[in-house]
Amino acid sequence: MITLPLLMVFIPIVTAIIIYMLERKWGNYLVFVAQGLMSYVFLRLILMFPEINEQRYVLGNWTLQSGIALKIDNLSLAFIGLSIFLWWLVLLYAWEFHGDDNKFLFFLLFLEGTFMGLLMVNDLFSLFVFIDIITILSSILVVYKKDGWSLRSGLYYLMINSMGMLTYVMGFLIVYLLTGTLNWDLATHRLALLGHTPPVYAAYILMSASVLVKAAVFPTFNWLSRAHGSAPASISTLLSGLLVKAGLYGFIRIQELFSEQLLGDFFFYLGFITALTGIIFAISQKDIKQILAFHTISQVGIILIGISQIQTDLYYGGLIHLFNHAMFKSLLFMGAGVIINHYKTRRLTEIRGVLKRFPLIAIAMIIGVLSITGTPFFNGYLGKYIIAYELQNRPFFGMLFQLINLGTLISFAKFSQIFFPDTKESLSFTPHLSTLTLTRKERFNLPIFILAFMCIFITFGYNTLGDLLQAEFPSVNLYSTSKMIQWSLLAALAIALTKIFIFSDRITPLLHRIREIKIPFYNTAYMFILFLATMLLFAH
Amino acid sequence: MKKLVSLFLILVLAFFLTTALDQGLDFWHSPSQLDAFRMSNAFVQNDVLGEGGALVFGESKNLESGSANIVTSIVVDYRSFDTLGEITVLFLSALGVGLLMGSGVRTTLRSGFILKTAAKMVAPLMLLTGIYIFTHGHLTPGGGFPGGSMMATAFLLHYFGSDTVKSNLKPLKWIESTAGALYILLGLAGLFVAGSFLQNFLPTGTLGHLVSAGIIPLVYVLVGLKVGSEVSGIVADFSKTEVVS
C-alpha cells in the first residue's frame, strides 16, 4: 500500500524498457497493460484519499532530512489523474500511426513515468532531475520526424529550456545553503522562519523564472509555438495539453515553498502580458497548428493570472482553467492532426469543408472552439467566469480580461473558416481530396469524442473536480443571464471585427509583419536577462 | 548595444547575488561549526540515522553506509534515486543522438603506424583503469561516472587507432539496457528484502575493505558499465556522417 507512489513511476518506465528490448509488434500491446495497471493504482490511491490526506514515502528508509521523499497530496493526485487520462487518449490516438514503432512508444511511455515522478517528488534536486529528463524526452519527441523544421525547433526548445533550468539550479542551491536541506516540506518550514532576506528573494526570483520558461510565459514563450507546431499531432497534444502544465505545477509548488508572494502582483501583471502577446500572435497566424500553439500561450497567461494569487478564489479559478484547458486544447490539436493528415496542408486559407467531410469530428472541434472561447455551458466558461468575478474590484484588469476574451473570439472566428463549405478556390489547392475516402479513424475517432464529452461534462460536474482539488466555487453561476448576454455581445463584436478587418484584407500587411517576427535564440536570452532584472526591481 | 545592455544587467544581477548571499550565508564553515540541523553535517559524520560511533579506517564495522568515500555514500546510497535519474538522462541523450545520427554511414579514418601501435598497447590499459576506478568507487575518489568515461575513452582510442572497426553496436545497447534494468531490480530487491526502494540491504562490512558497503560497489559497477557503453555508443554515433542525397 505504501509503495503505490513508487509503482506510479516505475510501471511505465519498466514497461518502456521491456518494449524497447523486445522489438516485437506484440510487445507493443504492453503499453495498454501498463496503462491499465496505472489506472488501477490511481483508483487505489483515490479511494483511500479522503482519509489519508497526504502520503509520504522516503526512499531507502532514510530520514526525511537526508533521503529523497515522494509525496502525494490532493494537487498532485489531481494532476496524476489528468495525466493518466490524457495518456490513454494520446496512446489510442497515436496507435494508428505509431502502433508498430516500438521506439516511439518507448519514449512516450518513459515520458509518462518521469512525468509522474515530477508530480510526486518532494525534493528540490530530484525535481530538477525529472524536469531535465522531461525536457530531453520532449525534445526527442519533437524532432521525431527528423525534417529540417522540427529539428530546428527541437534544438531551440532544448536550448531555451536548458537556460531556464540553469537558473533553477542556482535558485535551489541558495535554498539549500539557507536551510540545510533539500526536502521540500522541511525547506518550506525553515524558509518561513527566515523571513524576507535578500537571499530568499534571490532564490525566489531564480526558481520562479526557471519554471516560467518551462510554462512558456512572456518573454520566453517563443519556443512553444515552434515546438508544438512542428511535432507530430499526438505529441503536440501531449505537449500543449499537459507538459506546459509541468511548468505551472512547478510554479505552484514554488509559491508554496516560499509561502507567500514575495514580488507582490508581478506574476498577475505578467499573466496579462503573456495572454495579450499570445493573442496578438495567434490572430496573425495562418497555419492552423500555429494558431492553436499561440493560444496555448494566451491560455497559460490566463491560468497564470489565476494561480499568481495563491490560496484565494482567483487561484482556484486558474487551477480549474488549467484542467479545462488540458481537455479542449488536446481536443483541438487531435482534430487538427486528423485534418492536416487528410488535407495534406496546414494553411487556414486552403482548408474548407471540414464540417461536410468529417461531420462528427467537426462537431467535436466546434465544441472545443466554444470551450476555449469561454461560451456558457462549455468548460472554458468556468475558469474565465471565476477569474472575471474575482477581478470585479479592479475595473482596469476586468476590462483587460474582456479584451483577452475578445481576442480569443476573433482568432477562433478566423479559425472557424475551416468549417465553411468548399469553394472552387479552396478545392484548387487540394485537388487530391475528391479521390480520398475516409479511413476508420477519420470517421470515428474515439479520443476526440471522449474529450468533447468531457468538455461538456466538466461544466456541469465541476464539483467533482472541486472535491479533488479541495476547493469550492461558491461564486459560479452556470445560468447567469448577464454573462450569457455579455458573451453574446462579445461574440457578435468579434465576428464583426473579424469580417471587417481579417477577411477583408484591410490589415493584412500588419498581420504579415507580426507573423514574420522570428525571435532568434540570442534575443530570447537577452530578454530572459531583462526579465530577471525586472523581477529584481519588484523585489525592492 | 544589446550586448552591452545585457552585460550591464548580468553585472547588476551578479552584484545583487553576491551581496545578497554575503548577508545571509557563510560559505566557509568547518564541519564542527556546522549547525546540527544541516543535512551536510549528518553526511560528514556518516551517521544520518544518528546511531553514533567513531569512524576508524579498517576497523569500524557495520556502519550505516559503510563507504569510505562520503561522496559515494551520498551519490549511490542516501540519494540513490537521483543517480538513477542522472543515468537516465545520459541514457536518453545517447538514444537521442542515436536517433538523429544513427542512420549515417561510418567514415573510416586513416591513422599512422605510431597511433595504431600505441592504441593497441594503451587501450587495454585504459580499459583496465576504468574498471579499477568504478570497482573501487566506494573506497577512493572516482566511481561509476569517471570509470565509465574512461572506458569510453579507451573505445575512442581503439576507434582512432584502427582502419576498420568492425564494431557491432548491438552488445553495447544490450549492456546499457540490462545495466539500467538491473539497477532498478537492485532497488526492488531492497524493497522486498529490507522494506524500502533502493535500500542498502547487504551487510556493510568493515570500513575500507574492497568487499564492504553493501550494494554500493554493485551499483557503481552497473553505473560504470552503463555509462561506459552509453558514451561509447555516442562516440560511435558521432563518427557517422549523414549521407546527403
Side-chain angles (χ1 to χ4, degrees):
Chain A
M1 178 182 110
I2 200 95
T3 54
L4 287 181
L6 209 61
L7 289 178
M8 284 294 219
V9 181
F10 282 105
I11 288 173
I13 289 183
V14 171
T15 319
I17 293 176
I18 292 173
I19 289 173
Y20 175 70
M21 287 173 79
L22 271 180
E23 293 188 59
R24 295 280 186 285
K25 170 85 174 131
W26 55 265
N28 294 351
Y29 286 97
L30 282 174
V31 290
F32 295 110
V33 179
Q35 274 292 330
L37 282 172
M38 294 287 285
S39 314
Y40 170 71
V41 173
F42 176 69
L43 274 182
R44 288 279 302 273
L45 278 171
I46 204 134
L47 285 180
M48 67 173 73
F49 184 69
E51 289 82 46
I52 308 166
N53 208 347
E54 285 181 353
Q55 287 205 42
R56 196 180 274 110
Y57 181 73
V58 186
L59 293 157
N61 257 352
W62 300 114
T63 55
L64 202 57
Q65 163 92 308
S66 56
I68 294 171
L70 299 176
K71 186 181 128 185
I72 295 187
D73 57 5
N74 55 349
L75 185 68
S76 39
L77 200 59
F79 268 87
I80 288 169
L82 176 72
S83 329
I84 294 178
F85 175 69
L86 279 186
W87 244 281
W88 265 117
L89 299 182
V90 167
L91 274 173
L92 286 174
Y93 182 82
W95 189 253
E96 183 92 336
F97 306 107
H98 300 288
D100 49 355
D101 185 353
N102 69 326
K103 264 198 181 144
F104 184 85
L105 294 172
F106 164 80
F107 287 126
L108 204 60
L109 217 55
F110 213 105
L111 187 61
E112 182 177 15
T114 44
F115 196 76
M116 294 295 158
L118 172 80
L119 295 177
M120 279 183 293
V121 84
N122 194 29
D123 190 278
L124 290 159
F125 186 74
S126 305
L127 186 81
F128 167 70
V129 173
F130 279 115
I131 291 181
D132 208 3
I133 301 177
I134 286 175
T135 309
I136 291 173
L137 272 173
S138 327
S139 44
I140 290 177
L141 285 170
V142 170
V143 302
Y144 202 78
K145 280 192 293 194
K146 286 209 272 185
D147 55 12
W149 189 27
S150 59
L151 211 59
R152 277 174 60 163
S153 8
L155 288 178
Y156 192 82
Y157 172 87
L158 189 63
M159 277 159 75
I160 291 186
N161 281 288
S162 315
M163 183 174 78
M165 285 189 305
L166 287 181
T167 63
Y168 180 83
V169 174
M170 291 202 285
F172 91 73
L173 283 179
I174 297 173
V175 173
Y176 175 63
L177 285 169
L178 286 169
T179 61
T181 181
L182 285 173
N183 184 277
W184 204 276
D185 289 348
L186 289 176
T188 312
H189 188 62
R190 289 176 192 170
L191 278 173
L193 299 176
L194 280 173
H196 298 182
T197 54
V200 176
Y201 274 109
Y204 181 71
I205 288 172
L206 290 168
M207 288 172 82
S208 308
S210 95
V211 288
L212 290 181
V213 172
K214 206 104 197 91
V217 167
F218 186 85
T220 44
F221 59 93
N222 205 38
W223 58 265
L224 187 140
S225 57
R226 296 194 188 194
H228 294 198
S230 58
S234 47
I235 298 307
S236 314
T237 306
L238 212 52
L239 289 172
S240 256
L242 206 56
L243 290 179
V244 166
K245 273 78 175 188
L248 293 169
Y249 176 81
F251 181 77
I252 295 173
R253 288 295 182 208
I254 286 167
Q255 301 294 310
E256 285 176 1
L257 177 66
F258 291 89
S259 305
E260 52 192 306
Q261 298 132 23
L262 296 176
L263 296 184
D265 276 347
F266 177 77
F267 296 117
F268 181 73
Y269 305 142
L270 195 67
F272 280 101
I273 297 173
T274 309
L276 286 171
T277 321
I279 299 267
I280 290 169
F281 277 97
I283 290 177
S284 71
Q285 297 302 314
K286 276 189 168 172
D287 178 326
I288 58 172
K289 270 181 111 175
Q290 292 285 321
I291 293 182
L292 295 177
F294 276 109
H295 268 291
T296 302
I297 298 171
S298 77
Q299 301 293 317
V300 162
I302 294 177
I303 296 166
L304 186 65
I305 294 170
I307 61 178
S308 64
Q309 314 280 334
I310 206 155
Q311 305 306 346
T312 58
D313 284 346
L314 197 59
Y315 166 74
Y316 290 113
L319 208 55
I320 201 164
H321 197 63
L322 192 156
F323 283 85
N324 291 332
H325 175 253
M327 302 294 164
F328 55 69
K329 192 45 73 66
S330 313
L331 165 60
L332 288 171
F333 262 116
M334 284 181 178
V338 171
I339 291 170
I340 291 169
N341 199 40
H342 189 78
Y343 281 76
K344 302 279 182 281
T345 175
R346 307 159 60 128
R347 293 177 72 82
L348 196 57
T349 45
E350 294 173 10
I351 299 174
R352 287 289 183 282
V354 173
L355 191 59
K356 205 177 127 220
R357 268 193 201 91
F358 327 97
L360 286 174
I361 289 178
I363 288 168
M365 281 187 79
I366 290 171
I367 291 176
V369 168
L370 291 174
S371 298
I372 197 171
T373 48
T375 317
F377 307 118
F378 294 95
N379 68 352
Y381 172 71
L382 282 173
K384 290 191 176 178
Y385 182 96
I386 298 171
I387 291 172
Y389 183 83
E390 297 297 321
L391 290 175
Q392 274 172 345
N393 303 329
R394 307 168 88 167
F396 173 69
F397 291 105
M399 293 290 287
L400 215 54
F401 191 68
Q402 294 307 327
L403 191 66
I404 293 169
N405 282 344
L406 182 67
T408 315
L409 278 163
I410 290 177
S411 82
F412 276 97
K414 187 181 169 188
F415 184 82
S416 299
Q417 54 181 297
I418 62 170
F419 302 120
F420 294 173
D422 291 313
T423 57
K424 265 187 191 145
E425 195 197 350
S426 73
L427 282 176
S428 68
F429 291 120
T430 48
H432 61 282
L433 279 184
S434 50
T435 55
L436 278 181
T437 50
L438 294 184
T439 59
R440 191 181 55 78
K441 272 274 147 124
E442 285 166 351
R443 243 179 277 124
F444 187 82
N445 200 321
L446 189 64
I448 293 182
F449 299 147
I450 292 175
L451 283 168
F453 170 74
M454 287 302 281
C455 280
I456 297 170
F457 173 76
I458 289 181
T459 328
F460 297 99
Y462 65 91
N463 278 327
T464 326
L465 193 57
D467 287 344
L468 194 56
L469 298 168
Q470 290 186 338
E472 284 175 15
F473 310 105
S475 60
V476 173
N477 177 9
L478 279 182
Y479 308 103
S480 149
T481 339
S482 64
K483 282 279 164 188
M484 284 181 215
I485 295 169
Q486 197 183 12
W487 186 84
S488 322
L489 287 176
L490 267 183
L493 184 61
I495 290 170
L497 286 174
T498 318
K499 225 171 170 77
I500 296 170
F501 287 110
I502 292 179
F503 287 163
S504 68
D505 296 341
R506 275 206 182 85
I507 52 168
T508 309
L510 178 68
L511 291 183
H512 183 75
R513 204 175 302 158
I514 296 175
R515 193 162 60 239
E516 289 300 308
I517 294 178
K518 297 267 185 294
I519 307 174
F521 175 70
Y522 54 87
N523 276 355
T524 312
Y526 292 144
M527 287 201 289
F528 187 60
I529 293 166
L530 206 65
F531 177 55
L532 287 175
T534 322
M535 284 166 99
L536 212 59
L537 283 182
F538 272 78
H540 282 271
Chain B
M1 185 60 203
K2 252 187 297 186
K3 280 180 187 164
L4 281 179
V5 171
S6 51
L7 187 67
F8 171 73
L9 286 175
I10 286 180
L11 286 178
V12 169
L13 283 174
F15 177 75
F16 169 72
L17 271 182
T18 41
T19 48
L21 294 183
D22 204 37
Q23 287 170 25
L25 304 166
D26 187 358
F27 287 101
W28 309 112
H29 284 302
S30 72
S32 58
Q33 289 172 305
L34 281 175
D35 297 333
F37 73 88
R38 297 192 78 91
M39 184 166 81
S40 44
N41 192 33
F43 282 154
V44 173
Q45 307 298 327
N46 207 345
D47 187 26
V48 162
L49 300 177
E51 281 153 5
L55 296 180
V56 184
F57 198 79
E59 283 180 25
S60 299
K61 280 187 179 136
N62 295 325
L63 293 166
E64 187 180 273
S65 169
S67 156
N69 181 357
I70 181 63
V71 178
T72 302
S73 292
I74 295 171
V75 170
V76 290
D77 202 3
Y78 296 121
R79 301 187 64 84
S80 195
F81 191 59
D82 282 344
T83 310
L84 193 55
E86 290 296 347
I87 60 169
T88 311
V89 171
L90 192 62
F91 174 54
L92 293 171
S93 316
L95 277 179
V97 171
L99 186 75
L100 286 182
M101 314 191 70
S103 59
V105 174
R106 187 176 301 278
T107 47
T108 45
L109 300 170
R110 202 167 293 149
S111 44
F113 170 73
I114 296 176
L115 180 60
K116 270 189 210 168
T117 319
K120 267 182 201 147
M121 295 197 301
V122 177
L125 284 177
M126 285 170 77
L127 207 61
L128 200 65
T129 318
I131 293 171
Y132 173 80
I133 289 177
F134 67 65
T135 45
H136 287 242
H138 58 299
L139 302 177
T140 54
F145 290 93
S149 315
M150 183 75 101
M151 285 172 70
T153 325
F155 179 83
L156 180 65
L157 192 66
H158 171 66
Y159 169 74
F160 277 145
S162 56
D163 288 332
T164 50
V165 179
K166 286 169 282 179
S167 60
N168 182 4
L169 292 180
K170 208 76 187 157
L172 285 183
K173 293 249 147 66
W174 223 82
I175 290 174
E176 69 182 61
S177 311
T178 319
L182 278 177
Y183 194 169
I184 297 179
L185 278 182
L186 211 56
L188 287 175
L191 179 66
F192 290 118
V193 175
S196 185
F197 188 71
L198 285 170
Q199 189 164 359
N200 196 343
F201 59 90
L202 292 176
T204 50
T206 311
L207 182 70
H209 286 196
L210 181 59
V211 183
S212 67
I215 63 166
I216 292 179
L218 295 178
V219 171
Y220 250 172
V221 167
L222 291 176
V223 172
L225 287 175
K226 194 167 163 65
V227 171
S229 52
E230 269 157 13
V231 181
S232 309
I234 293 178
V235 168
D237 282 333
F238 270 122
S239 69
K240 290 173 180 170
T241 37
E242 198 75 37
V243 185
V244 182
S245 52

